[in-house]
Amino acid sequence: EARRTALVAEPRSRASFDIEPDGEICKLTVVHEFFAPDSLVATLVTQGWPRVLSELKTFLETGDVRRPADSLK
């Protein structure tokens, strides 16, 4: 409960996505910014974005959709 309270109390951050052509493929740039100093959200998304983007890449390349339980392994 304390963690949830801390997360709700933080000011909003912003995530932006830029997709641009790069030859025969495209390039995705994700920028997540405007975190409060010592932000708990920043700590959590630093661990979360790599997993989300890895799963997106796998899906785009293979069409394989991972179930939420699979991503916890």
Side-chain angles (χ1 to χ4, degrees), residues 1-72:
E1 185 63 32
R3 185 181 214 184
R4 184 176 176 358
T5 301
L7 289 169
V8 171
E10 285 194 25
R12 297 277 183 205
S13 60
R14 180 176 70 191
S16 59
F17 305 86
D18 184 37
I19 302 171
E20 60 187 300
D22 186 11
E24 294 185 17
I25 61 174
C26 25
K27 176 182 171 185
L28 170 65
T29 302
V30 178
V31 177
H32 200 156
E33 59 191 345
F34 302 118
F35 296 104
D38 299 320
S39 170
L40 177 56
V41 172
T43 301
L44 295 173
V45 299
T46 298
Q47 298 168 11
W49 277 123
R51 177 181 291 161
V52 169
L53 296 173
S54 174
E55 290 177 8
L56 175 61
K57 181 178 184 287
T58 298
F59 171 71
L60 293 172
E61 291 177 345
T62 68
D64 182 35
V65 179
R66 296 179 66 186
R67 296 184 316 258
D70 291 341
S71 65
L72 298 176

